[in-house]
Amino acid sequence: EAQVTQNPRYLITVTGKKLTVTCSQNMNHEYMSWYRQDPGLGLRQIYYSMNVEVTDKGDVPEGYKVSRKEKRNFPLILESPSPNQTSLYFCAGGQGPTYEQYFGPGTRLTVT
Amino acid sequence: AQSVAQPEDQVNVAEGNPLTVKCTYSVSGNPYLFWYVQYPNRGLQFLLKYITGDNLVKGSYGFEAEFNKSQTSFHLKKPSALVSDSALYFCAVRERDTDKLIFGTGTRLQVFP
């Protein structure tokens, strides 16, 4: 069964404290991406990756970093979180951007 | 720049009636178009996509969508709505020369018994 896992599912942290949200897929998919979901703004792509060591900015990359050292993992890093990064985050994977994307269950992040 | 618009925040329909959730897009060239659904406290699930070919695309759970190039629209439809169709629906677009996916703001569908 195609699966994308994210950890943690819920996180409350303070401004400036570095954090990492992990994402892992079991489908051997090339394409992975991170989104944030905010009320009234829908889903906005943060970063995406076409393959190992290949990453590109989406529409809202400021304040985020990613890495793709292995095909299955695509962690999202917030080096100095701020309250405006409080959001619901989704990781997704697919064979490519033209194919069905499989979404993880989401990570609800609160930055105080 | 590519963009996608979902002009309705919410659509209400009675069970058994046909439903339409609207989506318009703006891209250069021919787009790839997608619909996803999000049930409460869940991630998004793929419904259908248009890449090329027939303008009417059939997808999961009885949904279909019609690609209209002249109106730059890709409306989601279902002939007979179910209460269980109540969810948040997202339209998405990808331009053919980029790898970005752009999602709309979402439309909440409420189907009343």
Side-chain angles (χ1 to χ4, degrees):
Chain A
E1 179 192 350
Q3 197 167 17
V4 176
T5 56
Q6 297 178 225
N7 282 293
R9 296 288 313 279
Y10 301 91
L11 179 59
I12 301 173
T13 190
V14 295
T15 299
K17 186 175 180 182
K18 181 178 178 179
L19 66 91
T20 299
V21 184
T22 64
C23 172
S24 183
Q25 50 106 350
N26 67 354
M27 302 163 288
N28 201 37
H29 282 163
E30 309 280 336
Y31 188 82
M32 296 185 77
S33 53
W34 275 102
Y35 300 86
R36 60 179 289 174
Q37 183 178 11
D38 302 288
L41 297 176
L43 247 68
R44 292 178 293 168
Q45 195 173 42
I46 302 170
Y47 270 95
Y48 61 95
S49 169
M50 287 296 293
N51 212 328
V52 174
E53 303 290 1
V54 180
T55 62
D56 266 303
K57 296 177 181 178
D59 279 342
V60 288
E62 295 77 21
Y64 304 94
K65 285 175 59 177
V66 292
S67 70
R68 189 92 181 272
K69 292 183 169 52
E70 307 166 275
K71 202 172 192 179
R72 64 180 289 123
N73 296 323
F74 191 45
L76 179 70
I77 303 154
L78 284 71
E79 299 240 333
S80 183
S82 61
N84 65 12
Q85 293 178 297
T86 292
S87 187
L88 179 58
Y89 291 86
F90 288 100
C91 181
Q95 288 182 290
T98 311
Y99 295 87
E100 171 182 359
Q101 301 298 303
Y102 294 87
F103 281 80
T107 295
R108 188 165 292 282
L109 172 66
T110 301
V111 184
T112 61
Chain B
Q2 59 181 341
S3 65
V4 61
Q6 294 182 245
E8 300 155 318
D9 289 336
Q10 180 153 328
V11 170
N12 299 318
V13 63
E15 188 173 34
N17 282 1
L19 69 88
T20 299
V21 182
K22 294 179 180 176
C23 172
T24 59
Y25 63 89
S26 174
V27 301
S28 54
N30 294 320
Y32 298 120
L33 294 157
F34 308 84
W35 276 102
Y36 285 83
V37 60
Q38 184 180 32
Y39 297 102
N41 302 313
R42 302 279 297 276
L44 277 72
Q45 296 176 33
F46 172 80
L47 279 177
L48 51 80
K49 68 180 180 183
Y50 171 82
I51 303 299
T52 188
D54 286 342
N55 290 342
L56 186 63
V57 179
K58 294 190 184 299
S60 306
Y61 313 122
F63 284 93
E64 57 189 28
E66 186 167 12
F67 170 63
N68 187 318
K69 188 172 182 178
S70 63
Q71 296 186 4
T72 62
S73 67
F74 190 56
H75 301 332
L76 182 70
K77 300 182 180 187
K78 188 173 182 182
S80 179
L82 300 172
V83 172
S84 57
D85 292 330
S86 299
L88 187 56
Y89 290 80
F90 288 96
C91 182
V93 65
R94 179 205 159 201
E95 282 182 333
R96 286 179 183 258
D97 59 351
T98 78
D99 297 316
K100 286 186 189 179
L101 280 172
I102 303 296
F103 282 78
T105 52
T107 298
R108 187 164 300 281
L109 174 67
Q110 291 275 17
V111 182
F112 296 96

